[in-house]
Amino acid sequence: MRRVIVDCAIYRDGRRTQGPADFSDALAEARATGDAFLWIGVYEPTEKEFDHVRREFGLHALAVEDALTAHQRPKLEVYDDSLFMVLKPVVYDDDLDTVTTGELMVFIGDSFVVTVRHGEGGALAAVRHRLEHEPQVLRHGPTAVLYAVADAVVDHYIEVAAELQSDLEELEAEVFAPNPGDAKSVASRIYGFKRQVLEFRRATSPLLAPMNQLAFGNVPFVTEHSRPFFRDVADHLTKANEYIEGLDRLLSDALTAHLAQMGVRQNDDMRKISAWAAMAAVPTMVAGIYGMNFDDMPELRQPWGYPAVLVLMVVLCVGLHRMFKRRGWL
């Protein structure tokens, strides 16, 4: 278990205290005093490694299965003696333009908090460190930890959305540039961006219902005094969802504009090709007529016939060129 346990501590009156090294003894001590709780953080445990935690904390088998399997949607499950919440922290790699999601499971009970983390996102060290410097928050017990974790995850959603907005502005500038780059490359980037936004949305949209349940519903371990804090998190989550919906709409508009521009450029190319083909067809037609080798043809045997035909072809081509130029085909 030492391999997967990231941190384990007893908190009494909002402050971290020294306790037994074994979490079973630490849990017994926290429950014995009644004014403390144990917070244990676990990283990617196996079923065998987590079995001891399950038995000691009395965690529900279905919740334990979800915590070990991962790949869960954000949700809130209420059991007889505990709450189980799934969060999906998001990390954006600006160099690779990719959104990756981790998974964070939180169990809270009368005197304990168990956090299970999967993936690189959602490190809780910063959250724990911040809470340990805010004893007035930690005094509210395990519910305060659930609030702090959810608040940190949702606030990071807004930061990632802002980074995506910045990258989208760069992509829009490329789409509407006077001389855009490779059309296939731009379209590929837009589709790739939409996939990243979709991955982001899968983390944020399903979380709104659990947050509203914590903010407005009658949930065990969540007192009337703590609900306004969850309402604040729900408000930030709504803002993040609006950001993401706006990004998705802008990406759809950018893709539509890009496809329209491609159509316009193709039409311009076709007009130019048609104009040059028309100018090439005129001398071809004249030359074809005078190449039919009939004996009786006007001016066929006149000394000025050849230069006259050349002048006629030049005049016709120049006239067509000026007409197409005036109409914007060339």
Side-chain angles (χ1 to χ4, degrees):
M1 285 300 298
R2 290 183 180 276
R3 184 186 69 85
V4 299
I5 293 179
V6 178
D7 200 352
C8 178
I10 296 176
Y11 295 89
R12 181 175 288 104
D13 194 29
R15 300 187 182 280
R16 183 169 182 148
T17 61
Q18 294 293 331
D22 183 78
F23 71 84
S24 300
D25 296 334
L27 178 62
E29 179 179 321
R31 283 176 167 167
T33 58
D35 61 347
F37 70 94
L38 175 68
W39 181 1
I40 176 174
V42 184
Y43 179 69
E44 294 187 351
T46 64
E47 182 178 356
K48 182 178 180 181
E49 290 169 334
F50 200 66
D51 185 64
H52 186 43
V53 177
R54 177 190 64 80
R55 287 185 283 103
E56 288 295 330
F57 290 89
L59 305 178
H60 197 280
L62 293 177
V64 170
E65 181 181 355
D66 290 342
L68 294 174
T69 306
H71 303 294
Q72 303 294 321
R73 283 169 53 90
K75 62 180 180 179
L76 176 68
E77 299 286 351
V78 180
Y79 297 101
D80 293 337
D81 52 359
S82 65
L83 288 181
F84 174 65
M85 189 169 190
V86 178
L87 301 159
K88 293 182 77 70
V90 170
V91 177
Y92 181 63
D93 190 332
D94 192 45
D95 295 330
L96 300 176
D97 293 335
T98 56
V99 172
T100 56
T101 57
E103 292 199 37
L104 186 58
M105 288 77 170
V106 183
F107 297 86
I108 69 170
D110 57 346
S111 55
F112 67 86
V113 178
V114 178
T115 54
V116 182
R117 183 165 61 91
H118 294 268
E120 296 303 320
L124 294 175
V127 177
R128 188 186 288 259
H129 180 74
R130 177 170 61 84
L131 280 175
E132 289 177 354
H133 287 78
E134 297 178 353
Q136 70 279 8
V137 177
L138 270 180
R139 287 193 186 100
H140 295 284
T143 306
V145 177
L146 179 62
Y147 155 72
V149 171
D151 185 56
V153 170
V154 171
D155 283 348
H156 192 61
Y157 286 162
I158 298 177
E159 295 174 8
V160 172
E163 294 179 2
L164 288 172
Q165 178 68 38
S166 177
D167 288 348
L168 177 58
E169 290 173 358
E170 295 178 4
L171 183 58
E172 286 178 326
E174 184 176 348
V175 169
F176 295 104
N179 297 311
D182 182 26
K184 292 183 179 179
S185 175
V186 173
S188 177
R189 287 186 61 194
I190 294 175
Y191 276 114
F193 211 127
K194 284 185 71 69
R195 289 191 64 85
Q196 304 309 316
V197 171
L198 176 61
E199 183 71 16
F200 197 180
R201 175 175 282 180
R202 287 173 178 166
T204 62
S205 295
L207 184 59
L208 189 57
M211 291 311 306
N212 285 331
Q213 186 178 353
L214 290 170
F216 302 102
N218 186 15
V219 180
F221 308 107
V222 180
T223 63
E224 186 69 28
H225 175 75
S226 60
R227 287 176 189 167
F229 295 94
F230 288 105
R231 284 198 291 269
D232 181 66
V233 177
D235 182 63
H236 291 176
L237 181 60
T238 300
K239 182 179 179 181
N241 280 321
E242 290 174 352
Y243 263 126
I244 297 167
E245 290 175 4
L247 288 172
D248 190 53
R249 287 194 299 268
L250 287 173
L251 280 169
S252 297
D253 293 343
L255 181 59
T256 302
H258 174 66
L259 295 176
Q261 285 182 329
M262 290 181 59
V264 170
R265 287 195 293 270
Q266 288 175 349
N267 289 337
D268 289 341
D269 293 340
M270 288 302 299
R271 284 200 298 263
K272 291 178 181 179
I273 294 171
S274 300
W276 287 109
M279 287 188 290
V282 169
T284 301
M285 180 188 67
V286 175
I289 291 173
Y290 278 88
M292 290 189 293
N293 297 322
F294 289 113
D295 290 333
D296 298 325
M297 294 186 69
E299 293 81 32
L300 186 62
R301 300 186 185 278
Q302 298 296 329
W304 47 265
Y306 176 67
V309 170
L310 290 180
V311 171
L312 176 64
M313 289 190 291
V314 171
V315 170
L316 290 175
C317 289
V318 171
L320 287 172
H321 186 275
R322 293 187 64 182
M323 181 185 70
F324 290 137
K325 194 76 172 178
R326 187 169 56 251
R327 294 185 178 182
W329 285 38
L330 291 174

